[in-house]
Amino acid sequence: MSNRTINLNDALYQYLIDVSLREHAVLAELRAATLSHPHASMQIAPEQGQFMALLVKMLGARRTLEIGVFTGYSALAVALALPDEGRVVGCDISREYTDVARSYWDRAGVGHKIDLRLAPALETLDALLAQGQEGSFDFAFIDADKTAYDAYYERCLTLLRSGGVIAVDNVLWSGRVIMPGADADTLAIQAFNRKLHHDVRIDLSLVPIGDGLTLARKR
C-alpha cells in the first residue's frame, strides 16, 4: 500500500508499458522515427498519448484543439480516438516538422480529421474566437512555448464548452519547477501552475504522467 504516487524505475515502467499500452501500429512507427530527431524529447510518452485518447473518448469529444504539433504523435493519438466526423485543429509554425506528421496521419487514415494551421497559435486561436467559436470545443492539448502557456490557456478556456477539458504538458518540467534561480520557461510554468491552483473557473488535477500533465475541466 502507498499513500503517495509510486516511483517508476526502468523495470517497473517497462511492466506498465507491457501490460497497458495498446499502441496503433502507425503511432509506434512515428514514435520510433522521431527517436532519432534532434528534438526527440519534445514528443510525448506513449502512455500519455493513450491516456489522452481515453479522455477524448470519455468526453465524447468531436472538436479538439492542439497547440504545438511537432511530428504529430499526440494529434494522431487524439484523431484515432475521434469519430469519423471529429476534427483536431492543430496549431504549429514548423512546416518541416508537420510535413512528417502529415505523412503518418495519412498512413493511419485520419488525415481528414486534422485541420493543421501553420501560423502562430495565438493568431489561430484569436481567429477562431473572432469567428464566434467560443464554447464549441470539447478538448484542448497545450504543448508549445512555455512563456505563452497562460495566453494559450485563456483562449482555450474560452473556446471550450462547459465540461470540456484542457490538458497541459510539461508542468513538472523535469523537476525544474522546484529549483531556485529559474530561467524564463521555468518561471512561466511555475506561475502557470500557481494560477491554475487558484482558478475557480476549473476543476483541476496535475497527473504525474510523462513530464507532468495538468487536466483542467471547465466548470
Side-chain angles (χ1 to χ4, degrees):
M1 300 295 291
S2 177
N3 61 4
R4 58 176 290 172
T5 300
I6 191 171
N7 291 323
L8 298 180
N9 60 24
D10 289 346
L12 191 54
Y13 175 74
Q14 188 59 52
Y15 176 80
L16 179 154
I17 295 298
D18 289 343
V19 301
S20 71
L21 186 63
R22 300 175 176 179
E23 191 174 34
H24 189 283
V26 179
L27 276 171
E29 291 171 16
L30 174 54
R31 182 162 60 92
T34 306
L35 279 176
S36 60
H37 194 282
H39 300 294
S41 62
M42 291 168 55
Q43 182 171 270
I44 65 168
E47 69 274 15
Q48 181 176 328
Q50 181 167 291
F51 178 64
M52 291 182 359
L54 180 62
L55 282 177
V56 165
K57 289 184 177 181
M58 291 172 68
L59 286 166
R62 295 294 186 274
R63 301 191 74 212
T64 75
L65 291 161
E66 176 156 314
I67 317 304
V69 173
F70 189 41
T71 57
Y73 187 94
S74 50
L76 177 53
V78 169
L80 286 164
L82 291 173
D84 192 62
E85 71 276 11
R87 293 295 180 268
V88 179
V89 175
C91 305
D92 208 288
I93 57 173
S94 173
R95 183 173 299 278
E96 176 188 357
Y97 297 165
T98 56
D99 278 351
V100 175
R102 285 182 190 274
S103 67
Y104 284 91
W105 298 340
D106 290 341
R107 285 180 57 196
V110 297
H112 66 287
K113 296 184 186 181
I114 303 173
D115 177 7
L116 179 64
R117 311 281 181 96
L118 283 177
L122 292 178
E123 291 182 10
T124 298
L125 297 173
D126 285 342
L128 292 171
L129 289 168
Q131 294 162 11
Q133 299 197 39
E134 176 177 344
S136 67
F137 287 85
D138 305 295
F139 177 79
F141 179 48
I142 300 174
D143 184 15
D145 49 314
K146 311 312 171 190
T147 54
Y149 263 22
D150 185 62
Y152 297 146
Y153 168 76
E154 288 296 335
R155 287 159 174 81
C156 286
L157 193 63
T158 302
L159 287 162
L160 223 63
R161 64 168 172 83
S162 178
V165 171
I166 302 174
V168 188
D169 201 25
N170 302 121
V171 290
L172 293 179
W173 204 223
S174 299
R176 295 195 294 277
V177 286
I178 62 171
M179 301 295 183
D183 56 44
D185 285 341
T186 307
L187 288 170
I189 295 173
Q190 290 170 337
F192 179 77
N193 288 341
R194 288 192 298 268
K195 170 180 173 170
L196 266 62
H197 187 208
H198 300 288
D199 191 343
V200 298
R201 299 171 295 174
I202 61 169
D203 301 308
L204 176 69
S205 183
L206 196 166
V207 181
I209 190 171
D211 194 25
L213 185 70
T214 283
L215 302 179
R217 176 188 177 274
K218 183 176 179 178
R219 290 178 171 173

